[in-house]
Amino acid sequence: MVLGTASSAAAVSTYSVAPNIRLNVRSGPGTSYSITRTLPENTKVPIFCQTPGTTVSGYYGTSNIWDNIDNGEFVSDAYVNTGSDGYVADRCA
Protein backbone atom coordinates (compact mmCIF):
# COMPACT_ATOMS: atom_id res chain seq x y z
CA MET A 1 0.00 0.00 0.00
CA VAL A 2 1.27 3.46 -0.90
CA LEU A 3 0.62 6.06 1.82
CA GLY A 4 -1.10 9.34 0.95
CA THR A 5 -3.03 7.98 -2.02
CA ALA A 6 -6.75 8.01 -2.65
CA SER A 7 -6.99 4.44 -1.31
CA SER A 8 -6.16 5.71 2.18
CA ALA A 9 -8.56 8.67 2.00
CA ALA A 10 -11.16 6.88 4.15
CA ALA A 11 -8.78 7.05 7.12
CA VAL A 12 -8.44 10.85 6.98
CA SER A 13 -9.56 12.69 10.11
CA THR A 14 -10.60 16.33 10.40
CA TYR A 15 -9.40 18.72 13.09
CA SER A 16 -10.47 22.17 14.29
CA VAL A 17 -8.37 25.23 13.56
CA ALA A 18 -7.68 27.42 16.61
CA PRO A 19 -10.72 29.50 17.59
CA ASN A 20 -11.17 32.88 15.93
CA ILE A 21 -8.07 32.40 13.74
CA ARG A 22 -8.04 33.07 10.00
CA LEU A 23 -5.29 30.61 9.01
CA ASN A 24 -3.00 31.08 6.03
CA VAL A 25 -2.72 28.07 3.72
CA ARG A 26 0.67 27.79 2.02
CA SER A 27 1.96 26.01 -1.07
CA GLY A 28 4.58 24.13 0.96
CA PRO A 29 5.59 23.28 4.54
CA GLY A 30 6.98 26.63 5.64
CA THR A 31 6.48 30.35 5.97
CA SER A 32 8.66 31.02 2.92
CA TYR A 33 6.09 29.35 0.66
CA SER A 34 3.39 31.48 -0.96
CA ILE A 35 -0.05 31.87 0.62
CA THR A 36 -2.60 30.10 -1.59
CA ARG A 37 -5.67 31.09 0.43
CA THR A 38 -6.83 31.97 3.95
CA LEU A 39 -9.21 29.74 5.88
CA PRO A 40 -12.17 31.43 7.60
CA GLU A 41 -12.51 31.43 11.38
CA ASN A 42 -13.68 28.25 13.15
CA THR A 43 -12.81 25.93 10.25
CA LYS A 44 -12.12 22.19 10.36
CA VAL A 45 -9.41 20.74 8.14
CA PRO A 46 -8.54 17.22 6.99
CA ILE A 47 -4.96 16.08 7.53
CA PHE A 48 -3.87 13.77 4.71
CA CYS A 49 -0.25 13.63 5.86
CA GLN A 50 2.28 15.66 7.86
CA THR A 51 5.84 16.80 7.21
CA PRO A 52 8.51 18.84 9.00
CA GLY A 53 9.10 22.42 7.91
CA THR A 54 9.53 25.93 9.31
CA THR A 55 9.09 26.14 13.09
CA VAL A 56 6.07 28.27 13.99
CA SER A 57 4.79 29.51 17.35
CA GLY A 58 1.00 29.51 17.34
CA TYR A 59 -2.15 29.03 19.37
CA TYR A 60 -1.26 25.43 20.33
CA GLY A 61 2.44 25.99 21.04
CA THR A 62 5.55 25.83 18.89
CA SER A 63 5.90 23.19 16.19
CA ASN A 64 7.79 22.41 12.99
CA ILE A 65 5.04 20.04 11.84
CA TRP A 66 3.02 21.08 8.79
CA ASP A 67 -0.32 19.50 7.88
CA ASN A 68 -1.17 18.68 4.27
CA ILE A 69 -4.85 19.66 3.99
CA ASP A 70 -5.21 19.35 0.22
CA ASN A 71 -3.05 18.76 -2.84
CA GLY A 72 -0.17 21.22 -2.48
CA GLU A 73 -1.73 23.01 0.52
CA PHE A 74 -0.19 23.12 3.99
CA VAL A 75 -0.97 24.75 7.34
CA SER A 76 1.15 24.96 10.46
CA ASP A 77 0.19 22.32 13.02
CA ALA A 78 0.70 24.97 15.73
CA TYR A 79 -2.76 26.28 14.78
CA VAL A 80 -4.58 22.94 14.46
CA ASN A 81 -6.12 21.18 17.47
CA THR A 82 -4.87 17.64 16.96
CA GLY A 83 -4.62 16.91 20.68
CA SER A 84 -0.94 16.03 20.28
CA ASP A 85 2.43 17.75 20.11
CA GLY A 86 3.58 15.04 17.67
CA TYR A 87 2.48 13.49 14.41
CA VAL A 88 -1.14 12.29 14.17
CA ALA A 89 -1.01 11.26 10.50
CA ASP A 90 1.44 9.53 8.18
CA ARG A 91 4.47 11.47 6.99
CA CYS A 92 4.08 12.95 3.52
CA ALA A 93 5.98 11.06 0.83
Side-chain angles (χ1 to χ4, degrees), residues 67-88:
D67 305 329
N68 175 241
I69 64 166
D70 203 347
N71 188 25
E73 292 192 331
F74 294 83
V75 295
S76 171
D77 194 64
Y79 288 97
V80 180
N81 187 10
T82 63
S84 172
D85 288 336
Y87 289 86
V88 298

Side-chain angles (χ1 to χ4, degrees), residues 20-65:
N20 305 314
I21 297 291
R22 296 184 69 232
L23 187 59
N24 289 332
V25 178
R26 296 190 177 267
S27 61
T31 55
S32 63
Y33 289 88
S34 62
I35 296 171
T36 59
R37 61 187 171 121
T38 301
L39 299 175
E41 294 178 6
N42 306 315
T43 298
K44 288 191 174 213
V45 293
I47 298 179
F48 294 99
C49 62
Q50 294 176 300
T51 191
T54 305
T55 299
V56 172
S57 292
Y59 189 89
Y60 295 111
T62 300
S63 178
N64 74 332
I65 299 173

Side-chain angles (χ1 to χ4, degrees), residues 3-27:
L3 299 176
T5 64
S7 64
S8 63
V12 172
S13 295
T14 59
Y15 300 91
S16 296
V17 171
N20 305 314
I21 297 291
R22 296 184 69 232
L23 187 59
N24 289 332
V25 178
R26 296 190 177 267
S27 61

